[in-house]
Amino acid sequence: MKKYELAMFSAGALLLSSLPLIFLTQNFTLWGIAKGLYFLGLLFMTLEIASSRHK
Amino acid sequence: MIIEVQPVELWGIIKQVGLAVAGASSLWGLVFSVRKRHQPSPSKISLYTLLSLCAGGVAAVVGWFGMQLSLNVAWAHEGITVVPILEEIANALLLTRPGYVFWVSLLILGVFGWLRNRERFIQLLSPFYALHLGLITFLISLPAWNGFSETATQLFYMGHGFHSILTLGSVIVLDFLFLMSLAKPDLRAELYPIFPFISLGIWIGLGIDFLSVALIFQEGLALTSKFFFMQTVVGIIIINGVLLSGPITRKLLISLKNGRSLLGKRWVFIINVSGTISVSSWLTIAVVDFLEHIEVPYHYWLAGYVGFVLVAYCLHEIVVKIEPETALE
């Protein structure tokens, strides 16, 4: 798996894991981290596609 | 438990899916035609996107007329909800009316142009798609208008509407083109190098969605079963999407490079299941967005979703049986 795929996969898994926490405690910390990881993955993906075009 | 589906919600779904498909067809049709602009033969893929553009156009206009007739919309997203008031919907329909008339005229002119002088039409394909993309972006970004373009709620309406071109529309158009490429191998050389860009477009679309929801988070958050269900589907979309656009697509491309018979049965099954989950999950999100008057427990939502995925998979298998050319081997 590539770096951005790993980041996005973790974002999806974290998002799912955060739901029981939100249900029980209304705590959105994990959910927020998942969204952050998603954008990090998106950034990695953009950079990789941009660099592969210049090779 | 409340289960109530209003006609206007169904019209709204048809309009949104139609606009998303038409917008994505214009976007990717433009990309393919621009990439081929300096070559003697036109982009074949961009001719196929004309078909999906017309299909999306018909659906969007039918949905738009339906909404005009039954003007009472409730609307949500990801379980984080902002429901536009009736006046905002009416404002948007009024504002976009000239846009719809112009767009439909352009579409009809395009069909006549195609029938009368195909070669000339193909030369004008890029500006044709660019104009459509501009118009559809305007139409889909104005599902509601509160009169204040700078407010967070209005920006949410715009982002929420627009992202469907990149997400739902692109997934449907990509699936259509991919199935066509299985039946017509000459399309592959043009389509497959674009896969990473289409994936990036879909992920950017989901990012736009996340950002637009962040704008109304405090106001729109309601911890209902619908919220938890929508978040579950979003999580599944991300995980499945990563696998589908990453390892699965890489495996597929390697095997298709030299023919269609290198994939084993296990991989064909994995690809078909993953593709089905992708399309049906995006459709689920789009449809459930509009169903504001359904309040059922979480497991009811989940059972409906699983049932929908299973039905979609069975439909795919039936299509493969009828048209064996569209099957992976």
Side-chain angles (χ1 to χ4, degrees):
Chain A
M1 264 191 164
K2 296 181 177 179
K3 195 161 59 174
Y4 70 83
E5 289 169 353
L6 208 59
M8 283 187 165
F9 190 91
S10 312
L14 213 54
L15 186 67
L16 289 179
S17 320
S18 71
L19 296 180
L21 194 70
I22 295 172
F23 181 72
L24 293 171
T25 67
Q26 301 198 5
N27 185 326
F28 280 79
T29 310
L30 264 186
W31 190 80
I33 293 170
K35 297 281 169 103
L37 254 180
Y38 178 84
F39 282 105
L40 193 67
L42 194 56
L43 179 69
F44 286 152
M45 187 181 188
T46 310
L47 292 175
E48 179 160 330
I49 289 179
S51 69
S52 68
R53 269 182 70 83
H54 285 103
K55 275 179 189 170
Chain B
M1 195 164 78
I2 301 168
I3 300 178
E4 184 189 333
V5 181
Q6 298 183 354
V8 72
E9 294 171 344
L10 295 177
W11 293 123
I13 291 165
I14 294 169
K15 179 174 84 95
Q16 183 71 8
V17 174
L19 279 176
V21 169
S25 305
S26 309
L27 171 65
W28 299 112
L30 178 63
V31 169
F32 286 115
S33 60
V34 166
R35 274 171 66 90
K36 278 266 197 172
R37 68 190 181 282
H38 296 310
Q39 294 176 24
S41 60
S43 159
K44 285 184 182 167
I45 291 277
S46 64
L47 300 180
Y48 279 91
T49 49
L50 274 177
L51 286 177
S52 46
L53 171 61
C54 289
V58 170
V61 170
V62 168
W64 183 74
F65 268 114
M67 283 186 79
Q68 298 271 358
L69 296 175
S70 46
L71 191 67
N72 176 23
V73 174
W75 181 55
H77 173 70
E78 266 195 68
I80 303 169
T81 312
V82 167
V83 182
I85 58 171
L86 197 64
E87 196 184 342
E88 292 174 348
I89 303 289
N91 285 345
L93 285 175
L94 199 65
L95 260 176
T96 53
R97 191 174 292 167
Y100 272 100
V101 172
F102 186 48
W103 179 42
V104 172
S105 310
L106 195 69
L107 207 54
I108 293 170
L109 269 177
V111 173
F112 274 113
W114 172 258
L115 294 174
R116 277 182 69 90
N117 190 342
R118 202 161 292 187
E119 282 180 14
R120 178 78 183 133
F121 181 78
I122 286 170
Q123 284 174 352
L124 294 171
L125 212 49
S126 298
F128 176 79
Y129 276 130
L131 200 54
H132 273 279
L133 181 60
L135 272 169
I136 296 167
T137 299
F138 166 69
L139 296 175
I140 204 169
S141 300
L142 268 185
W145 176 248
N146 65 9
F148 303 100
S149 58
E150 72 283 5
T151 60
T153 307
Q154 187 59 49
L155 289 174
F156 162 71
Y157 293 159
M158 290 174 168
H160 174 66
F162 171 72
H163 90 90
S164 296
I165 290 180
L166 292 170
T167 53
L168 174 69
S170 292
V171 169
I172 293 175
V173 171
L174 178 63
D175 257 42
F176 166 66
L177 295 177
F178 181 69
L179 284 175
M180 288 295 108
S181 79
L182 290 176
K184 299 182 187 305
D186 55 332
L187 299 181
R188 290 179 199 165
E190 210 185 323
L191 178 62
Y192 293 173
I194 297 290
F195 273 171
F197 295 96
I198 300 181
S199 294
L200 181 63
I202 294 168
W203 292 127
I204 288 174
L206 190 58
I208 290 172
D209 210 7
F210 287 163
L211 291 176
S212 68
V213 165
L215 289 170
I216 50 94
F217 186 76
Q218 294 286 348
E219 182 192 349
L221 180 69
L223 296 180
T224 58
S225 63
K226 186 173 169 180
F227 165 83
F228 287 104
F229 170 67
M230 294 291 254
Q231 292 299 317
T232 305
V233 179
V234 170
I236 291 170
I237 281 176
I238 296 174
I239 290 173
N240 180 65
V242 168
L243 297 174
L244 183 62
S245 65
I248 293 177
T249 299
R250 283 196 286 277
K251 172 79 181 170
L252 180 71
L253 295 187
I254 290 168
S255 90
L256 287 178
K257 236 175 199 172
N258 302 313
R260 288 173 54 189
S261 54
L262 298 174
L263 284 167
K265 272 188 181 171
R266 193 168 66 100
W267 273 101
V268 170
F269 178 72
I270 290 171
I271 291 167
N272 287 340
V273 168
S274 183
T276 307
I277 289 174
S278 174
V279 176
S280 36
S281 299
W282 281 111
L283 275 171
T284 298
I285 284 207
V287 169
V288 175
D289 258 3
F290 284 86
L291 303 178
E292 188 55 33
H293 297 93
I294 295 183
E295 288 173 26
V296 293
Y298 177 82
H299 59 277
Y300 277 54
W301 285 117
L302 212 56
Y305 167 66
V306 172
F308 181 45
V309 173
L310 288 175
V311 168
Y313 184 79
C314 292
L315 282 176
H316 172 264
E317 289 298 303
I318 291 169
V319 169
V320 165
K321 288 273 183 288
I322 297 169
E323 292 283 339
E325 279 191 326
T326 58
L328 278 168
E329 289 167 3

